[in-house]
Amino acid sequence: MSFLEYRIQTVPTGFRKVLYLNWPLIILLTTVCAVGWLMLYSVAGGRIDTWAEPQMKRFAVGLTVMLVVAFIPIWFWRNMSGVAYLVSVGLLVAVDVMGHVGMGAQRWLNFGFITLQPSELMKIALVMMLAAYYDWLPVNKVSRPLWVLLPVGMILLPVALVMVQPDLGTAILLLGGGAVVMFCAGVHWLYFAAVAGLGGGIVTAVLASRGTTWQLLRDYQYRRIDTFLDPSSDPLGAGYHITQAKIALGSGGWTGRGFMQGTQSRLNFLPEKHTDFIFTVVAEEFGFIGACSLLVLYALIIVFCITSAIQMRDRFAALVTLGIAASFFFLFAVNMLMVMGLAPVVGVPLPMVSYGGSAMMVLLTAFGIVQSAHVHRARDR
Amino acid sequence: MTRRALVMGGAMSAIVAVLGARLRYMQVDEADQYRLLAEENRVSIRLIPPHRGQIFDRGGRLIAGNEQNYRVTITREGAGDVPDVLHRLQRVIPLADTDLTRVAEEARKRAAFVPIVVADRITWDDMSRVAVNAPSLPGVVPEVGLSRIYPMDTDFAHVIGYVGPVSERDLAAQEVPDPLLQIPQFQIGKIGVETWMETPLRGQAGTRRIEVNAVGRVMRELDRIEGVAGSDLHLTIDAGIQNFAQARLGEESASVVAMDVQTGAILACASAPSFDPNLFVRGISYADYSVLTENDHRPLANKSVQGAYPPGSTFKMVTALAALEAGVIDAETRVYCPGYYEFGGRRFHCHSRYGHGHANLDLALGKSCDVYFYDISQRVGIDKIAEMGRRLGLGTRHDLPMSAIVEGVMPDRQWKRDSYDQDWRIGDTINASIGQGYVLTSPLQLAVMTARLASGRAVVPHLVKSVGGQDVAVPEAPPLDIPAPLLRMVQRGMHTVSNVQGMTGYNSRIVDPSMIMAGKSGTSQVRNITAAERARGVISNDQLPWNRRDHALFVGYAPFDAPRVAVACVVEHGGGGSAVAAPIVRDVLLRALTGKMPALAAYPQNQRARIETALSELRLRDMDALARATSTPDRA
């Protein structure tokens, strides 16, 4: 991977920072977003003002934010980590207490001018917090039980707050993102094995608790599990999502039905086609070639993040980059697994492509931090 | 840390590989299956109801047609503010306030694109007004549909029947269900020709493949296959004769059947009182229906084929012919009638209290002497009489495309044993010989009997002349196998009835020599006259309640020399056959033979003034105007 390896020994300042940006990453992100605009234009039946245009405007704002964040030295972000984490926890508590009820769950805070989803903020705040923690913690203490329990607590606090909403998808993403940071920080693999074993136990417990007084999940969540295991059991209810998504996806074939020719999405058989199920539109209209290309674009974003992280000497920078990359990975992987019928429907949007304001803004901000880490990858303190 | 990052990258690569493989599996390997499912989702097949076949009389006059009707629908999607648009619509066409609330309520409940019917069967004027005001009435759509219309309303109600919405029972009756029946508002025949000729009339559904979205909304039409319109029917009935017969029966509870003597074609088949089948097509109101069902004259019954009456003296030709054929009498055989007939200690009365003296066949038929037939029936026996009756078309169901055709009763020994588990008695034969007792016939059967007597052929009645332009084949009727001289004797007797002074039918004779009528009257008792009553003096019909009066019957044919038309008439509780039924038969015969209003020259001089007044008072349709109006609108 020598073509990716270029080292900068001095800390860039001023205009030079523009040159040191991770340009391939910016181009990749923009391309993925462009795919999103195209699909949003298509599912709106050829109307740009329904979804595509607002999405473009948000991207413009988000890109600006990303660049601003990128030019701010990475140490500033490390120092902000604790604040970001505490503010996010505070907002999550606030949303649980007084949040706006929508889609059957409390997820949004309405500030009048903007509705904010604090769980989105939490995704980066948690990664930052953990990265900062391991940056601070001497390497020889990383696997000591006490110093392992502390970050586990940091993860479980927001996970619990999100579960209350309830938002299973985000909770899983937070767990995944946090675990990756701990893994990359070098926590002994036995802990992970233990957690995996515990996880298996919890799943068993969850399934066993069904119908009892101490039932762990809501009924609708159990139904989702049922319909995931057998979509035909509820073809017009919850299984309808999965069945229609699979039909749309599968009917794409090699090359797809062509741009704006997807009958499944155009005729409204696909629910939430502009948000969680937008990947099926890509697959239906552009076929295997189109869907695979998008998958490759996502994979390349991860590849560029990891190669960037590997070159970093700053522990915080590397961990935050890996953590954000992993969170991003979980987003698109869970979404795709879900629409392909390999995972239960948990309501995770396809990053950068699905229509949605705060998710994209938060992601671009997060990539701003990745960029900042990249730009300031030589030690600067 | 680099190592851990690479491990993480490796794990991620594995998941990406899984995603890619899954994509390939679904989109390449399984694509065909999913494509099929997608197509099933997308394409829906809708039926195009075919144009129902029209029904015409033998002269091509429209009896049952299809009327364009106009209705106005509204969609919430198009209207936006439904109540507001409805208020504006109310200024354009008359709408009740209750309609407004009903429509607004329904529009709110249904999907936004579903059209709600605001007004049905509106006039062309209202329709035009809606069309002109369309710009200020968003979401309001004027629509055109076809529905059944019976331009001759009451005249053909019993023959044609009517159509109505498909009921659960209709669906259950289908062996191979026609998907058309599932279409809302689809109508099928409910009774009469509309039911029995349903298959050719209905035609075959067309289909259109349409693309629908997830909520079933039609997005566009992909292709369409036109159906096959139902076949038009031509009936043997002449609307002019039918209308005349129906009008001539007036307010009586009565029926008339007119038949072509040679071919068996039904020329008229009237039943009074009648009803307007258009009421049923539109969905009859409870009030209207009650009026029909509570009427003791039973307007809903098709008396010409459903009514079963004792034929009374009109049956005497059967007894006579059986006796002649058996050789137990000849034309000159005389029977003495003192006014009664004694047998086995019982006394059977003749309708003439003082008797007819020595009666031969001519006089017995002409004066309708009961004793003569009591006597000869003893000589021939019931079985031969019944056999003759059946050969003449009694006790047999004549299959016409009409509902509830009765078989009647032509009793014999076997029949009584089967029905009552009793032996036949001589008294039964005596009763049967004059068409009383167990004998029951419908007016249709009496018309068939008359036609057979007149032609000597076993003519079979038929009603449908052609289906879809193809003439229905009518085989030539085989001879009755009764020696012509014997038949001639009975015919002469029937001629006597109508043409010799003093005979029962003389007052209703036709004087036009080219249209001389032969016939036979009948008066059938509904009640038993007890010996006590007879001793006191039989109460005259006028003094009895309507439903206990005698039925008046008459059968006749003309012209006597070359029979063309046979007519049978039954007037329920009408009184004497010669006084009440005979004039009706005469008038219908004349109408059928002349093809127009009967000429006064055909009537006896002294009756013309009275008859002219009576005929002019009949409310008849303008047949010429109806003939001009036979074209119906094209498919909408």
Side-chain angles (χ1 to χ4, degrees):
Chain A
M1 293 216 280
S2 60
F3 71 99
L4 292 171
E5 289 181 17
Y6 53 105
R7 287 173 184 277
I8 295 166
Q9 297 302 326
T10 55
V11 173
T13 53
F15 182 73
R16 286 179 71 191
K17 285 188 178 179
V18 177
L19 295 178
Y20 300 141
L21 282 169
N22 194 342
W23 280 104
L25 195 57
I26 293 175
I27 291 163
L28 281 168
L29 286 172
T30 311
T31 311
V32 170
C33 284
V35 170
W37 305 330
L38 216 57
M39 296 334 292
L40 288 174
Y41 175 78
S42 174
V43 293
R47 285 179 66 101
I48 195 165
D49 53 341
T50 317
W51 292 313
E53 198 179 271
Q55 190 81 341
M56 286 175 178
K57 284 177 179 163
R58 286 197 199 106
F59 176 75
V61 176
L63 190 70
T64 312
V65 170
M66 182 176 92
L67 292 174
V68 169
V69 170
F71 294 145
I72 294 170
I74 190 67
W75 56 261
F76 173 80
W77 297 116
R78 186 195 63 219
N79 295 348
M80 288 299 291
S81 297
V83 178
Y85 181 80
L86 290 175
V87 167
S88 296
V89 167
L91 286 174
L92 274 178
V93 171
V95 87
D96 285 348
V97 172
M98 48 158 272
H100 171 77
V101 176
M103 307 284 285
Q106 292 188 342
R107 291 182 192 174
W108 289 273
L109 269 185
N110 199 336
F111 287 106
F113 63 98
I114 184 170
T115 53
L116 190 70
Q117 204 173 339
S119 57
E120 296 287 344
L121 278 182
M122 195 69 228
K123 284 178 198 161
I124 16 172
L126 179 65
V127 168
M128 285 167 72
M129 185 66 221
L130 290 169
Y133 169 78
Y134 284 110
D135 188 47
W136 164 81
L137 188 72
V139 177
N140 59 349
K141 292 184 178 168
V142 161
S143 287
R144 299 240 177 111
L146 186 66
W147 301 109
V148 170
L149 282 179
L150 202 60
V152 166
M154 286 178 199
I155 295 169
L156 290 184
L157 175 64
V159 165
L161 289 171
V162 166
M163 285 290 273
V164 171
Q165 291 183 354
D167 185 353
L168 186 62
T170 304
I172 290 168
L173 293 172
L174 288 174
L175 274 174
V180 165
V181 175
M182 289 179 73
F183 178 80
C184 292
V187 175
H188 199 280
W189 65 269
L190 272 175
Y191 287 103
F192 293 95
V195 169
L198 194 67
I202 287 171
V203 168
T204 314
V206 160
L207 292 179
S209 74
R210 184 173 195 181
T212 65
T213 46
W214 50 283
Q215 180 166 302
L216 293 170
L217 295 181
R218 306 282 175 100
D219 280 339
Y220 82 93
Q221 289 165 323
Y222 280 109
R223 277 199 298 278
R224 282 188 176 181
I225 295 170
D226 285 347
T227 50
F228 162 65
L229 294 173
D230 181 14
S232 57
S233 67
D234 186 15
L236 294 175
Y240 181 82
H241 284 65
I242 298 169
T243 311
Q244 294 300 336
K246 283 165 99 174
I247 291 174
L249 202 134
S251 65
W254 267 106
T255 54
R257 293 174 173 269
F259 183 53
M260 293 187 54
Q261 302 296 309
T263 55
Q264 285 293 291
S265 46
R266 197 164 49 75
L267 299 173
N268 281 326
F269 286 103
L270 277 172
E272 295 163 48
K273 61 193 178 205
H274 62 292
T275 58
D276 292 359
F277 286 89
I278 199 159
F279 185 64
T280 60
V281 184
V282 178
E284 186 186 17
E285 299 197 347
F286 297 118
F288 177 66
I289 293 170
C292 254
S293 304
L294 184 59
L295 184 59
V296 167
L297 285 177
Y298 278 125
L300 282 176
I301 288 172
I302 306 296
V303 166
F304 274 94
C305 286
I306 293 177
T307 50
S308 166
I310 286 171
Q311 301 163 40
M312 290 171 193
R313 291 186 198 158
D314 183 303
R315 199 168 158 76
F316 172 78
L319 282 176
V320 89
T321 300
L322 290 173
I324 286 168
S327 299
F328 184 77
F329 175 83
F330 285 129
L331 273 177
F332 77 77
V334 169
N335 178 275
M336 286 184 184
L337 287 168
M338 173 180 94
V339 299
M340 285 183 210
L342 293 173
V345 175
V346 286
V348 174
L350 190 63
M352 312 305 236
V353 177
S354 285
Y355 182 78
S358 48
M360 181 175 185
M361 290 296 290
V362 165
L363 274 173
L364 286 170
T365 310
F367 278 108
I369 293 171
V370 170
Q371 290 285 355
S372 171
H374 189 80
V375 170
H376 307 98
R377 58 193 176 276
R379 273 212 179 270
D380 61 329
R381 56 172 181 177
Chain B
M1 194 196 303
T2 302
R3 197 167 54 90
R4 290 269 173 137
L6 288 176
V7 169
M8 184 188 85
M12 287 175 177
S13 304
I15 292 173
V16 167
V18 166
L19 288 173
R22 174 73 174 173
L23 269 180
R24 207 198 114 87
Y25 171 74
M26 290 179 76
Q27 295 197 284
V28 180
D29 301 343
E30 297 274 276
D32 289 344
Q33 185 207 327
Y34 286 115
R35 266 216 190 116
L36 205 67
L37 289 172
E39 195 70 3
E40 275 173 23
N41 260 348
R42 178 176 78 99
V43 176
S44 169
I45 291 173
R46 301 271 162 101
L47 294 174
I48 311 168
H51 200 192
R52 193 173 176 85
Q54 305 183 97
I55 305 175
F56 300 93
D57 84 335
R58 66 187 301 123
R61 285 179 285 230
L62 187 72
I63 301 170
N66 298 309
E67 174 196 41
Q68 268 184 343
N69 55 58
Y70 306 102
R71 59 180 198 176
V72 174
T73 62
I74 192 168
T75 58
R76 179 153 50 87
E77 185 180 63
D81 185 354
V82 173
D84 180 53
V85 175
L86 286 175
H87 276 297
R88 264 180 275 163
L89 183 61
Q90 199 177 23
R91 267 173 258 145
V92 179
I93 59 171
L95 286 175
D97 286 339
T98 51
D99 281 341
L100 298 197
T101 46
R102 172 187 62 83
V103 173
E105 177 75 9
E106 209 174 323
R108 216 176 40 216
K109 279 191 230 150
R110 308 294 293 274
F113 61 85
V114 173
I116 313 288
V117 176
V118 180
D120 207 359
R121 290 176 189 276
I122 62 170
T123 64
W124 170 243
D125 280 356
D126 284 346
M127 181 77 169
S128 316
R129 250 175 259 139
V130 172
V132 168
N133 288 287
S136 65
L137 299 168
V140 173
V141 180
E143 286 178 358
V144 184
L146 286 181
S147 76
R148 207 58 158 167
I149 181 159
Y150 301 104
M152 307 210 195
D153 46 60
T154 53
D155 286 358
F156 280 90
H158 293 109
V159 178
I160 299 299
Y162 46 81
V163 298
V166 181
S167 69
E168 289 298 322
R169 264 176 58 197
D170 295 330
L171 283 175
Q174 293 266 308
E175 264 179 47
V176 183
D178 186 333
L180 267 175
L181 301 191
Q182 312 281 355
I183 297 180
Q185 289 165 330
F186 190 76
Q187 296 193 314
I188 62 166
K190 289 297 182 176
I191 61 165
V193 170
E194 291 274 31
T195 300
W196 296 98
M197 300 301 283
E198 174 69 27
T199 311
L201 285 171
R202 189 188 297 168
Q204 278 157 22
T207 51
R208 55 195 194 112
R209 290 200 318 134
I210 48 172
E211 189 176 87
V212 293
N213 72 0
V215 287
R217 172 170 192 184
V218 178
M219 305 306 279
R220 66 194 163 114
E221 185 172 295
L222 301 172
D223 56 35
R224 80 191 274 151
I225 303 161
E226 294 295 341
V228 180
S231 306
D232 287 346
L233 295 185
H234 280 77
L235 301 185
T236 58
I237 290 184
D238 182 301
I241 306 173
Q242 177 79 13
N243 175 236
F244 181 86
Q246 197 71 50
R248 184 66 183 79
L249 293 178
E251 298 302 309
E252 300 280 8
S253 175
S255 57
V256 161
V257 176
M259 259 177 80
D260 185 309
V261 163
Q262 303 298 331
T263 64
I266 303 282
L267 299 173
C269 190
S271 177
S274 189
F275 62 92
D276 183 354
N278 292 305
L279 290 176
F280 285 85
V281 177
R282 284 168 206 154
I284 191 164
S285 70
Y286 182 75
D288 284 344
Y289 192 68
S290 298
V291 168
L292 292 177
T293 51
E294 283 163 16
N295 187 336
D296 64 352
H297 283 35
R298 306 192 322 282
L300 292 175
N302 182 8
K303 291 160 191 146
S304 55
V305 301
Q306 295 171 3
Y309 310 92
S313 302
T314 60
F315 186 76
K316 285 174 177 167
M317 281 84 79
V318 176
T319 309
L321 209 45
L324 287 169
E325 198 191 39
V328 295
I329 59 161
D330 61 30
E332 291 314 312
T333 304
R334 285 169 188 273
V335 170
Y336 180 72
C337 169
Y340 58 87
Y341 182 75
E342 284 194 333
F343 189 91
R346 271 189 72 191
R347 188 172 270 209
F348 296 87
H349 290 271
C350 188
H351 69 89
S352 165
R353 214 175 167 177
Y354 306 106
H356 295 100
H358 291 281
N360 65 1
L361 178 61
D362 242 17
L363 191 82
L365 284 172
K367 293 210 170 196
S368 206
C369 173
D370 293 332
V371 170
Y372 178 89
F373 292 94
Y374 295 154
D375 189 296
I376 66 169
S377 69
Q378 296 307 301
R379 308 187 200 179
V380 64
I382 187 62
D383 287 333
K384 285 194 170 148
I385 294 172
E387 199 260 343
M388 179 55 71
R390 281 191 281 270
R391 269 156 82 189
L392 292 172
L394 307 181
T396 318
R397 191 196 315 275
H398 298 292
D399 224 3
L400 293 179
M402 284 195 247
S403 304
I405 296 177
V406 299
E407 193 175 318
V409 178
M410 188 63 252
D412 56 16
R413 287 166 202 282
Q414 189 64 45
W415 174 86
K416 195 175 178 191
R417 215 166 295 134
D418 293 346
S419 310
Y420 291 92
D421 200 20
Q422 283 173 13
D423 286 332
W424 186 267
R425 290 189 232 175
I426 300 300
D428 294 332
T429 309
I430 287 171
N431 273 330
S433 70
I434 59 160
Q436 295 283 165
Y438 298 114
V439 189
L440 289 176
T441 58
S442 70
L444 173 68
Q445 287 170 329
L446 291 176
V448 171
M449 176 189 81
T450 311
R452 289 183 179 184
L453 285 170
S455 67
R457 292 180 174 279
V459 285
V460 175
H462 67 274
L463 188 64
V464 180
K465 185 162 167 267
S466 69
V467 178
Q470 290 287 106
D471 278 352
V472 174
V474 180
E476 202 192 342
L480 272 177
D481 199 23
I482 296 168
L486 301 186
L487 209 53
R488 197 71 196 160
M489 289 173 205
V490 173
Q491 288 167 353
R492 194 151 15 110
M494 292 173 76
H495 180 269
T496 305
V497 168
S498 293
N499 296 285
V500 175
Q501 190 147 24
M503 301 301 165
T504 55
Y506 185 69
N507 279 335
S508 307
R509 68 193 179 279
I510 295 171
V511 298
D512 186 324
S514 68
M515 291 184 282
I516 293 297
M517 175 172 80
K520 183 72 193 79
S521 61
T523 304
S524 68
Q525 282 175 17
V526 177
R527 64 207 171 103
N528 285 314
I529 299 175
T530 59
E533 184 187 338
R534 202 173 288 278
R536 278 198 309 274
V538 175
I539 302 167
S540 82
N541 261 292
D542 301 340
Q543 288 161 334
L544 285 168
W546 176 77
N547 62 4
R548 296 193 62 211
R549 292 178 195 170
D550 298 338
H551 293 321
L553 298 92
F554 198 86
V555 301
Y557 66 91
F560 178 68
D561 302 321
R564 280 165 52 201
V565 181
V567 176
C569 172
V570 175
V571 181
E572 289 184 353
H573 312 297
S578 49
V580 177
I584 296 174
V585 169
R586 172 200 62 194
D587 291 344
V588 172
L589 270 175
L590 285 172
R591 174 66 183 81
L593 291 170
T594 55
K596 53 181 191 285
M597 277 297 282
L600 286 172
Y603 293 100
Q605 188 79 47
N606 59 348
Q607 296 182 16
R608 286 179 192 165
R610 183 175 53 80
I611 287 171
E612 185 178 18
T613 320
L615 290 181
S616 68
E617 279 169 3
L618 293 181
R619 274 175 293 169
L620 299 175
R621 288 177 202 283
D622 180 353
M623 281 297 143
D624 294 336
L626 277 169
R628 282 194 300 274
T630 52
S631 63
T632 49
D634 285 335
R635 186 190 298 237

